[in-house]
């Protein structure tokens, strides 16, 4: 997000830019595509029997968060500041008081477009959490969790980081496109929830191999593609080239991270894996998200490479510490987000997105300290509040499916569907059972007719 | 009569089919199977987590033959299935009491 989103008063009244508006509508659509992309990224990594649930946990976010955003989410995140913690503007409730061509001071895109763009961020952030909860969470409890979580965690944190008057924003923490508000936030929440709900049945004992790496690659590709909207769109226009720097840095860091992850794997395990390539790319995308508006392309290579390497090492921690972060949300998003956000303090060149300079560019420790405050305050808040929310849901309606359902497959248990039909044998029996009634009646009717005749 | 069963590598199926046809075998049954022998599968790595996959995909071929042909046919299958690498599979035969052609009711060698 650009600094001063609501505060910088333009000397002249801003005019609506058709180019920027068009650009931002495309970016919003790109970010929307990331959520189904994420669904496939995660969906391929789980076992056959829980594919649909994994897809649905992301997809449901598109429904729930969209409605809440219109009702009150946008108001909390970007309304008039209250105590640097949340926002609120009654005009934004239900979007009722916003004109279709209404602009904010200093910006050339309608408020509606900004709201749509930001909505896509709000949708994907809780969807990111779901990867840690694979195979074992009741769909109804998950839906309720999303609604509560965005209300008490995401909307306020978005205000802290990006909203005018938000305390991290005012302090000068740089989070260009969401390393703190999106990735650290989601990663910390994932950790908080899994500490409450526990491991999958058979964790560390049963093999839990990804069932479709092609789906993972498809999802990673869609994420990478959509991320250009996520990152380059975060300047809210393209008048001055900052969005272009961000676009390039996104590509560069992602490439570096993928190569770093693969190099680590080749040395450590002897093979460059497909899952490693996809994971490395995502780690790079995560890490460059907060940093890409303030670093140079060479800095982006360094940030990507560090993220690829450290995240590749971090995904093993769950086995060491025994927490079941099923699809490595902590290892990739939390760790990647922390790396990217902190490295801003080293690699910010000044003069691109903001004038703040990092340690390597003569800025001293000032920006690094600010970044660390941003990182650890969001991390702690999200971790604690998410754990409390999960605990309350777990003790009331229950967060987990029955062990039987988990073992036989959450798709069948929670959604009454399965992702693939591998065999015709036995598959038709149930459906046939429901059909005979009319057929029998028809046959009986026919019989009666004959007798009558 | 004998039932010859061969558990072999899937990619050898075409060679074996051709060899059996050349030998004059009229019919066979093929099933997808999985299992392991002494090599016990392989290891796969996903994000550093190693998984041992000990059940390896195989093809199971079954052929009914007359007693006199059995030994020779086993040799034919073994020759066609062999790659020389580990996991080539196994072939064995068991005696069969009776066989019936369902369509005609013919029994014994006539049913083959």
């Amino acid at each position: 997000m650009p600094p001063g989103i609501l505060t910088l008063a333009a000397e002249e009244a801003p005019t609506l830019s058709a180019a920027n508006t068009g650009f931002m509508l495309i970016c919003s659509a790109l970010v929307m595509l990331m959520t189904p992309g994420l669904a496939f990224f995660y969906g391929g990594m789980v076992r056959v029997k829980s594919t649909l649930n994994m897809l649905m946990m992301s997809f449901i976010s598109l429904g729930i968060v969209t409605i809440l955003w219109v009702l009150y989410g946008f108001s909390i995140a970007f309304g008039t500041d209250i105590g640097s913690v949340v926002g609120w503007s009654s005009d934004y409730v239900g979007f009722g008081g916003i004109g279709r061509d209404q602009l904010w001071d200093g910006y050339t895109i309608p408020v509606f477009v900004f709201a749509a763009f930001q909505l896509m961020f709000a949708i994907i952030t809780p969807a990111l959490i779901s990867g840690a909860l694979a195979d074992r969470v009741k769909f109804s409890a998950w839906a309720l969790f999303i609604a509560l979580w965005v209300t008490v965690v995401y909307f306020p944190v978005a205000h802290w980081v990006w909203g005018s008057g938000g305390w991290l924003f005012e302090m000068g923490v740089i989070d260009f496109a969401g390393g703190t508000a999106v990735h650290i936030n989601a990663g910390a929440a994932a950790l908080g929830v899994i500490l409450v709900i526990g491991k999958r049945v058979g964790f560390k004992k049963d093999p839990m191999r990804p069932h479709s790496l092609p789906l993972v690659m498809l999802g990673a590709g869609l994420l990478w593609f959509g991320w250009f909207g996520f990152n380059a769109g975060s300047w809210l226009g393209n008048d001055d080239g900052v969005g272009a720097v961000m676009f390039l840095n996104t590509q560069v860091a992602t490439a570096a991270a993928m190569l770093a992850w693969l190099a680590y794997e080749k040395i450590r395990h002897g093979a460059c894996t497909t899952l490693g390539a996809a994971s490395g790319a995502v780690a790079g995308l995560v890490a460059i998200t907060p940093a890409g508006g303030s670093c140079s392309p060479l800095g982006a290579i360094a940030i990507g490479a560090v993220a690829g390497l450290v995240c590749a090492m971090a995904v093993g921690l769950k086995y060491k510490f025994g927490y079941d972060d099923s699809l490595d949300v902590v290892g990739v998003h939390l760790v990647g987000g922390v790396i990217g956000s902190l490295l801003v303090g080293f690699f910010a060149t000044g003069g691109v997105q903001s004038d703040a300079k990092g340690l390597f560019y003569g800025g001293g420790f000032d920006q690094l300290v600010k970044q660390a405050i941003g990182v650890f305050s969001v991390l702690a808040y999200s971790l604690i509040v998410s754990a409390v929310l999960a605990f309350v849901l777990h003790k009331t309606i229950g967060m987990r499916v029955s062990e039987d359902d988990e073992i036989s497959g959450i798709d069948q248990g929670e959604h009454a569907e399965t992702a693939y039909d591998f065999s015709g044998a036995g598959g038709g029996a149930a459906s046939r059972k429901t059909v005979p009634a009319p057929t029998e009646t028809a046959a009986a009717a026919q019989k009666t007719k004959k007798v009558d005749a | 009569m004998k039932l010859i069963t061969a558990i072999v590598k899937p990619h050898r199926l075409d060679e074996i089919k051709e060899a059996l046809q050349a030998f004059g075998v009229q019919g066979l049954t093929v099933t997808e199977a999985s299992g392991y022998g002494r090599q016990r599968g392989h290891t796969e790595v996903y994000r550093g987590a190693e998984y041992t996959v000990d059940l390896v995909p195989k093809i199971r071929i079954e052929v009914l033959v007359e007693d006199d042909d059995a030994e020779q046919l086993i040799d034919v299958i073994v020759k066609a299935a062999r790659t020389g690498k580990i996991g080539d599979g196994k072939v064995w035969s068991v005696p069969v009491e009776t066989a019936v052609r369902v369509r005609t009711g013919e029994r014994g060698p006539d049913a083959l």
Side-chain angles (χ1 to χ4, degrees), chain A residues 63-126:
Chain A
I64 294 171
V65 180
T66 300
I67 303 302
L68 296 185
W69 187 248
V70 172
L71 293 182
Y72 58 77
F74 184 60
S75 185
I76 294 176
F78 294 102
T80 307
D81 180 67
I82 304 171
S84 301
V85 180
V86 292
W88 190 261
S89 295
S90 54
D91 279 357
Y92 296 169
V93 174
F95 287 6
I98 306 172
R100 68 181 162 81
D101 54 355
Q102 189 175 325
L103 309 178
W104 275 328
D105 281 353
Y107 291 89
T108 58
I109 59 169
V111 175
F112 267 147
V113 175
F114 177 77
F117 182 66
Q118 277 296 325
L119 164 62
M120 304 311 172
F121 284 63
I123 288 168
I124 196 171
T125 307

Side-chain angles (χ1 to χ4, degrees), chain A residues 190-386:
Chain A
L191 185 58
V193 177
I194 55 181
L195 290 177
V196 172
I197 67 164
K199 308 162 196 172
R200 284 170 291 181
V201 173
F203 177 63
K204 288 215 274 192
K205 291 197 289 279
D206 297 348
M208 294 178 180
R209 282 188 297 156
H211 89 281
S212 171
L213 288 175
L215 277 193
V216 174
M217 291 305 263
L218 170 72
L222 287 173
L223 280 171
W224 192 334
F225 177 68
W227 223 295
F228 288 118
F230 196 89
N231 281 356
S234 285
W235 195 241
L236 304 179
N238 48 8
D239 296 329
D240 52 7
V242 174
V245 172
M246 186 67 203
F247 189 105
L248 191 68
N249 282 344
T250 301
Q251 180 67 12
V252 165
T254 308
M258 178 172 75
L259 296 180
W261 189 304
L262 289 176
Y264 172 80
E265 275 192 335
K266 182 71 184 165
I267 293 164
R268 180 76 180 71
H269 304 291
C272 296
T273 69
T274 313
L275 185 56
S279 311
V282 173
L285 289 162
V286 169
I288 201 62
T289 291
S294 55
C295 69
S296 68
L298 280 178
I301 290 180
I303 291 169
V306 172
L309 191 65
V310 177
C311 290
M313 293 191 274
V315 294
L317 292 179
K318 63 178 175 183
Y319 298 111
K320 208 172 168 190
F321 294 123
Y323 61 88
D324 186 7
D325 173 20
S326 317
L327 310 180
D328 301 307
V329 181
V330 177
V332 174
H333 292 277
L334 178 57
V335 173
V338 168
I339 289 169
S341 296
L342 290 181
L343 288 184
V344 169
F346 292 90
F347 287 99
T349 57
V352 190
Q353 170 209 351
S354 84
D355 292 331
K357 287 182 175 174
L359 197 55
F360 293 163
Y361 292 85
F365 285 95
D366 189 40
Q367 192 60 34
L368 183 60
V369 171
K370 287 178 185 170
Q371 294 302 116
I373 292 172
V375 164
F376 292 106
S377 57
V378 171
L379 200 166
Y381 179 73
S382 181
L383 180 74
I384 293 166
V385 177
S386 306

